[in-house]
Amino acid sequence: MNKTVLTIDDSRTMREMLNMALVQAGYRVIQAVDGIEGLEVLRAEGADVVITDINMPRMDGFGVIEGVRADPAHRATPILVLTTESDATKKERARAAGATGWIVKPFNPTKLVDAIRRVAA
Amino acid sequence: MDPFESIKATFFQECEELLTDMESGLLAMEQGDDDSETINAVFRAVHSVKGGAGAFGLEELIRFAHVFETVLDEMRSGRLHLTDEVAKVLLRASDVLADHVAAARSGGGVDEGRTVGMIADLQALIDQDRAAELGLHDDNASAPADEDFGFVPIVLSLDEPASDAPEVDVAALMAAASDPEPATNPTWVVTFRPKADMYAKANEAALVLRELSRLGEIEVSLDASAVPPLDQLSAEQAYLCWTIRLAGDRSEADIREAFEFVEDDCELSVVRDGEAADASAPDLAIDDDSDASASAVEAAAAAPLDLDALLARVQPPSEAAPADAAPPSPEPAKTAPAETNAPDPAKLDVAGLIALAEKASQDHAQAAPPAAPKVDVKTEARASAGAPTAATPTIRVDLDRVDRLINAVGELVIQQAMLSQRVFESGLARSSDVALGLEDLELLTREIQDSVMAIRAQPVKSVFQRMPRLVREVADLVGKKVRLVMDGENTEVDKTVIERLSDPITHMLRNAIDHGLETPEEREAGGKGVEGTVRLAALHRGGRIVIEVQDDGRGINRPRVRGIAVTKGLIAEDAVLSDDEIDNLIFLPGFSTADVVSDISGRGVGMDVVKRSIQALGGRISITSEPGKGSKFSMSLPLTLAVLDGMVVSAADQTLVAPLSNIVESLTPRAEDVHLIGGRDAVICIRDTFVPLIDVGVALGFRDTPLPPASGVAVLVESEGGGKAALLVEAIQGQRQVVIKSLEANYQHIHGVAAATILGDGRVALILDVDALVTTSRRKAPRIEKRMAG
């Protein structure tokens, strides 16, 4: 069965972009628009990999990481954060919170799929 | 559409929303809202614009958004404080950002000078040293954007004289560039000892090894010597260490890249076979005789470990690892370079198996989780979900579809009315089942109509939120201090109406600040606060939306207004006018109280233009004023343009509808008030003013002989242009709401007819175009009113 990737991003553009690249690479994609919805969707549907943005309303990416890592059912789910090269401190904070890896924006589909392969069996 | 193009379209659509969000956030900030969530929301909006722009390579947009974002980030982190001045700069920056988005969308250019100036203004908000630290200097304002793309510009000195340059063996250089590590290099020896943290972050050693195997053939050996006896084993700990031997033709960077996500959570050394591991290397014995793997294996063999038992104990039944996998071999396992992403499970190497076991133990450990964090998260989630900011789920629908629905509901309303009337005419008792059922149907139909209209309804907020900036700019321009108070921003009205509200509101606000409010000095002298207040409010009243613009300024100067009206020949010198009537003189065409037509509220037009544009929407405007205390303009508009309040009249056996918004009054003409001009065109004297009397039946060509005025009813109407006329009809049938049907779409344009509707009895009734009728009569009898009045 295809792996399921949960993408959490408040930007519709970014969600569509991720969706296009991931679907083309053969993943099943589910989406959420902020951290709170992300955790809800993860609990309801489960996912093999979570890709999350950092800056989001209601609950940001750090909240997502903490929430996933504190959830016994999903704490072993790999989480990739979307960062930019200039966001070094954010990347570190995300790592410290328990992010599995990161994807530097702007990304191309190859970069994206590479990152997922590195964290998902 | 090309999926990429379609995402781009989404991006620009989203940009519009982001820009709106950004502006309302900035406007709140301008009002002193320095709540971190407000600032965050603005930051996120700019950040998202930049993020999307990055994906599409919109360099100019990225460059500007980056500077803007950096300043907002400084504010977010508390290094830059919100002041009036800062808010102003940010508001201007949002304009420039909007220009950039528009330019990127249309492929056009932006005002480069304005951008550069704006960037300088933004940079000026930040401390010089800090700006340098953030890389925000003029010279390299674009550097961070470049960095986002992960490329570094390379300086090529092509002008360098060849003689000065050292002899270069180009071939060798190229060879070196393409293959910096010649194949003859010794094998890489990688030692990799994960820390517990690595697993806690859901990284897996097996996946890292799989990445390595993509670089070429690898030889993996496992050191399990650190694994304690089972009774002392902690599921959360990491005990294993791998040594990987890899062909030497890869660069160290390639190898380290495979460890990118885990390098801070493991001990890692990458050395050439024969070199000593550096200081940061794991404390693993690597023999100088280069048999590192063998020594590791020896260590592994020495460890008292029954892996089968371990696997059996820690592996949950659902885990995918094959239960009958071969026990680990002390021989180094070899894997071929992975062709596909996933290694063949049947050939799963030892390293992979161990990693799986380790992961399984982690999974197992999760059965007994720490309870506290879980509770925290749930509480937070619930609290946030219940917060008022929780987004209501929405769907986007094409406006066309909504309009089709509205049209269909219009038909439904008509059919329902027809059905009711027929049942009524058939003499069925009101208590009969059919009549009762019809009543229910009528209620239901109304409800559907209201619900459908509500789909098109939007809060006036979208118009209101543009006003604070306008007020500030106008106030600055005329040197007055103004506080804008807004009420009822969430009042809903039809989308079409909203779009046309902007101009009249803008005009009324300008007028209130420019003419209504006094200068700070005057206010002070008058015992008022220096700061004037302008109140913009929206409310629903009697099935219409009312927009009020109120100021606490000087009020209408009635003697002056009257004087101007007389001077300009708008009223007779001896005309007796009530205060209200004098106030409303300012709506007359050509009236302007400003001594000099100012740029601000004037633009060469007066309140008559405002009145006309409101009437065009089926609205009315009025003013109330109290000298010294201020004025209040109220405009009332229909909630929708699909339905019209009309007066149903009959003329020459035809049923016609006159828009109620045009009607001033109706009266029965007395024969002595009607005068004929030129034998045919009639005027009627209504309270000392002569207005044309238009026989509607004749004007529309239903009959040739005019109706004797005294046997009909005169309906005094006012056109958008402010011209008045009395429409002579035979009788007034009543007042009702009618659904507007375009005549052009179904037939063709007819002069004097604006549209049509279908009445309850199924007959088509024409809706009069009052403007056209009044204008025609005026053309035929030019300036009658004035001549007679003067």
Side-chain angles (χ1 to χ4, degrees):
Chain A
M1 211 192 87
N2 291 345
K3 281 195 200 319
T4 300
V5 180
L6 166 62
T7 60
I8 311 175
D9 200 312
D10 58 327
S11 155
R12 203 161 66 237
T13 311
M14 205 48 76
R15 287 199 304 277
E16 281 190 22
M17 201 89 122
L18 288 166
N19 189 62
M20 180 179 75
L22 292 172
V23 168
Q24 260 173 17
Y27 293 98
R28 194 173 84 89
V29 181
I30 49 180
Q31 303 183 349
V33 302
D34 60 42
I36 291 193
E37 193 182 301
L39 291 180
E40 276 166 12
V41 172
L42 181 67
R43 279 177 199 131
E45 301 192 34
D48 297 299
V49 179
V50 173
I51 297 179
T52 182
D53 188 24
I54 297 286
N55 289 299
M56 288 182 291
R58 297 213 295 160
M59 181 192 280
D60 62 14
F62 304 122
V64 171
I65 297 167
E66 282 157 19
V68 173
R69 292 286 173 252
D71 182 345
H74 300 103
R75 62 187 284 208
T77 307
I79 305 170
L80 294 168
V81 291
L82 292 164
T83 66
T84 56
E85 207 57 60
S86 46
D87 278 349
T89 48
K90 279 196 205 103
K91 189 170 97 179
E92 275 317 305
R93 233 187 104 189
R95 273 182 45 74
T100 313
W102 49 88
I103 298 161
V104 178
K105 290 190 281 189
F107 54 82
N108 59 35
T110 319
K111 233 160 105 177
L112 180 67
V113 173
D114 271 357
I116 294 176
R117 192 193 57 231
R118 285 172 183 214
V119 298
Chain B
M1 200 195 289
D2 173 4
F4 196 71
E5 281 304 309
S6 128
I7 295 178
K8 205 166 176 176
T10 302
F11 168 64
F12 285 119
Q13 212 173 41
E14 191 174 17
C15 271
E16 258 172 43
E17 293 158 23
L18 291 169
L19 289 171
T20 311
D21 290 352
M22 175 184 68
E23 193 176 350
S24 53
L26 285 173
L27 289 170
M29 285 163 70
E30 190 193 15
Q31 306 293 329
D33 178 357
D34 58 355
D35 187 76
S36 66
E37 196 32 59
T38 308
I39 298 172
N40 266 329
V42 173
F43 172 84
R44 270 199 308 272
V46 179
H47 183 76
S48 290
V49 169
K50 182 183 134 182
F56 299 106
L58 304 167
E59 310 265 357
E60 291 285 306
L61 180 53
I62 298 163
R63 190 164 67 103
F64 185 74
H66 179 77
V67 179
F68 196 179
E69 180 196 33
T70 310
V71 172
L72 288 167
D73 201 27
E74 288 291 288
M75 186 169 262
R76 230 162 51 120
S77 60
R79 278 187 291 267
L80 174 64
H81 294 286
L82 179 63
T83 63
D84 207 39
E85 197 51 44
V86 170
K88 256 186 183 173
V89 173
L90 294 181
L91 275 168
R92 278 197 293 122
S94 74
D95 282 345
V96 175
L97 186 68
D99 289 350
H100 273 277
V101 169
R105 187 176 206 163
S106 66
V110 284
D111 183 342
E112 193 53 41
R114 194 168 172 216
T115 303
V116 170
M118 198 62 241
I119 287 179
D121 288 351
L122 283 170
Q123 284 165 347
L125 294 179
I126 303 178
D127 183 55
Q128 277 306 302
D129 298 341
R130 180 73 186 147
E133 196 181 318
L134 292 168
L136 275 194
H137 271 311
D138 283 333
D139 314 339
N140 57 2
S142 65
D146 291 344
E147 184 195 301
D148 279 352
F149 285 108
F151 69 78
V152 179
I154 298 166
V155 180
L156 289 177
S157 340
L158 296 175
D159 299 335
E160 204 80 3
S163 56
D164 288 357
E167 278 291 299
V168 177
D169 181 346
V170 175
L173 261 185
M174 284 181 67
S178 63
D179 188 9
E181 310 286 350
T184 53
N185 279 347
T187 306
W188 286 109
V189 179
V190 180
T191 47
F192 170 43
R193 185 191 292 273
K195 295 180 189 166
D197 264 3
M198 191 189 102
Y199 299 111
K201 290 173 185 168
N203 270 302
E204 290 184 43
L207 295 175
V208 174
L209 296 178
R210 190 174 75 189
E211 279 303 300
L212 270 184
S213 74
R214 291 167 66 85
L215 296 174
E217 191 168 305
I218 61 170
E219 201 178 281
V220 183
S221 49
L222 167 71
D223 173 8
S225 60
V227 178
L230 201 51
D231 55 348
Q232 292 162 28
L233 187 112
S234 158
E236 300 279 337
Q237 276 306 315
Y239 300 106
L240 303 177
C241 173
W242 285 266
T243 303
I244 306 104
R245 293 176 65 81
L246 179 70
D249 56 354
R250 288 295 181 154
S251 71
E252 183 175 339
D254 281 351
I255 295 169
R256 288 201 177 266
E257 205 193 337
F259 292 91
E260 187 190 2
F261 291 164
V262 300
E263 62 184 345
D264 291 342
D265 296 317
C266 70
E267 290 169 25
L268 177 69
S269 84
V270 181
V271 294
R272 293 243 178 235
D273 200 356
E275 290 170 16
D278 60 31
S280 67
D283 63 345
L284 178 74
I286 297 176
D287 293 349
D288 276 352
D289 66 1
S290 82
D291 201 4
S293 55
S295 82
V297 171
E298 272 160 32
L305 173 68
D306 181 352
L307 261 178
D308 278 338
L310 177 63
L311 280 173
R313 292 280 301 263
V314 300
Q315 201 165 290
S318 65
E319 188 58 49
D324 60 345
S329 152
E331 292 300 315
K334 285 200 170 189
T335 64
E339 296 282 352
T340 56
N341 282 1
D344 185 348
K347 291 179 190 164
L348 197 67
D349 59 16
V350 177
L353 186 57
I354 299 292
L356 276 172
E358 206 160 341
K359 171 150 189 289
S361 69
Q362 297 257 325
D363 289 350
H364 192 61
Q366 285 155 14
K374 181 188 163 196
V375 174
D376 281 356
V377 168
K378 290 226 159 143
T379 314
E380 185 187 347
R382 201 167 34 236
S384 307
T389 50
T392 325
T394 55
I395 56 163
R396 306 181 145 260
V397 182
D398 232 19
L399 205 54
D400 274 355
R401 292 191 191 189
V402 177
D403 287 346
R404 279 210 299 277
L405 182 62
I406 286 179
N407 205 35
V409 171
E411 302 281 353
L412 177 69
V413 171
I414 291 163
Q415 281 298 329
Q416 182 270 325
M418 282 166 60
L419 195 57
S420 294
Q421 186 148 349
R422 279 188 198 149
V423 168
F424 178 67
E425 284 166 2
S426 72
L428 268 176
R430 281 202 178 270
S431 59
S432 68
D433 285 350
V434 174
L436 291 175
L438 264 179
E439 262 176 43
D440 287 346
L441 178 66
E442 191 178 341
L443 285 178
L444 203 59
T445 310
R446 284 232 185 98
E447 195 180 320
I448 293 175
Q449 190 180 19
D450 287 349
S451 306
V452 169
M453 291 306 181
I455 296 178
R456 273 188 65 101
Q458 289 185 332
V460 291
K461 200 176 194 163
S462 57
V463 176
F464 272 31
Q465 67 188 6
R466 294 206 288 269
M467 298 307 155
R469 166 176 297 172
L470 172 101
V471 168
R472 167 186 289 277
E473 283 171 2
V474 174
D476 282 353
L477 214 58
V478 298
K480 291 178 185 174
K481 288 199 189 311
V482 183
R483 191 165 67 94
L484 176 68
V485 180
M486 294 197 290
D487 279 332
E489 289 162 277
N490 290 318
T491 310
E492 291 193 334
V493 67
D494 189 272
K495 190 172 157 55
T496 322
V497 177
I498 285 190
E499 283 158 6
R500 300 201 216 162
L501 274 179
S502 182
D503 280 353
I505 293 181
T506 304
H507 208 92
M508 289 191 323
L509 281 175
R510 282 181 167 148
N511 188 74
I513 299 165
D514 196 15
H515 301 314
L517 292 180
E518 311 92 331
T519 62
E521 298 77 36
E522 283 168 347
R523 288 185 70 90
E524 213 161 14
K528 291 179 176 178
V530 177
E531 188 179 61
T533 302
V534 174
R535 185 170 160 276
L536 173 62
L539 54 143
H540 279 149
R541 190 187 289 152
R544 294 170 77 87
I545 184 173
V546 178
I547 306 278
E548 292 177 349
V549 173
Q550 186 173 12
D551 66 67
D552 66 346
R554 52 172 80 99
I556 299 272
N557 183 343
R558 292 192 182 118
R560 185 151 163 262
V561 165
R562 196 197 155 92
I564 290 171
V566 171
T567 318
K568 299 203 171 180
L570 298 169
I571 53 168
E573 206 166 336
D574 55 354
V576 181
L577 297 175
S578 68
D579 285 351
D580 238 22
E581 282 170 326
I582 295 177
D583 291 346
N584 283 287
L585 287 174
I586 63 165
F587 292 118
L588 288 180
F591 186 97
S592 177
T593 52
D595 295 329
V596 181
V597 174
S598 81
D599 261 358
I600 304 139
S601 56
R603 273 190 189 165
V605 296
M607 291 306 287
D608 59 314
V609 175
V610 177
K611 184 171 190 176
R612 242 178 289 158
S613 63
I614 290 164
Q615 280 179 331
L617 289 168
R620 300 183 279 265
I621 186 167
S622 61
I623 179 175
T624 52
S625 180
E626 205 176 326
K629 295 215 171 142
S631 314
K632 179 163 89 176
F633 288 88
S634 304
M635 57 181 187
S636 103
L637 295 159
L639 293 174
T640 168
L641 299 182
V643 177
L644 174 99
D645 281 320
M647 178 95 82
V648 183
V649 299
S650 25
D653 296 330
Q654 299 288 322
T655 305
L656 302 166
V657 178
L660 213 55
S661 57
N662 291 110
I663 296 177
V664 181
E665 62 178 309
S666 54
L667 57 137
T668 313
R670 289 179 301 175
E672 60 266 35
D673 289 336
V674 179
H675 307 269
L676 281 180
I677 294 169
R680 188 177 168 114
D681 295 319
V683 292
I684 181 169
C685 177
I686 300 175
R687 283 189 295 279
D688 298 336
T689 312
F690 286 88
V691 295
L693 181 67
I694 303 162
D695 186 319
V696 174
V698 174
L700 293 180
F702 292 131
R703 65 164 168 233
D704 295 326
T705 343
L707 183 74
S711 66
V713 179
V715 179
L716 184 63
V717 294
E718 187 180 40
S719 73
E720 279 176 31
K724 281 186 185 154
L727 303 181
L728 185 64
V729 298
E730 280 153 37
I732 290 175
Q733 292 181 13
Q735 189 183 322
R736 57 174 299 174
Q737 265 199 350
V738 296
V739 177
I740 299 171
K741 298 268 160 195
S742 163
L743 202 59
E744 280 96 333
N746 296 302
Y747 178 58
Q748 67 180 58
H749 177 73
I750 295 175
H751 185 76
V753 177
T757 189
I758 302 170
L759 297 171
D761 58 6
R763 278 186 300 151
V764 171
L766 300 178
I767 300 172
L768 297 175
D769 183 348
V770 169
D771 273 12
L773 288 173
V774 173
T775 322
T776 311
S777 77
R778 298 207 146 212
R779 249 203 315 273
K780 280 202 285 186
R783 304 182 72 79
I784 293 166
E785 188 185 351
K786 210 176 157 198
R787 199 160 12 125
M788 300 301 288

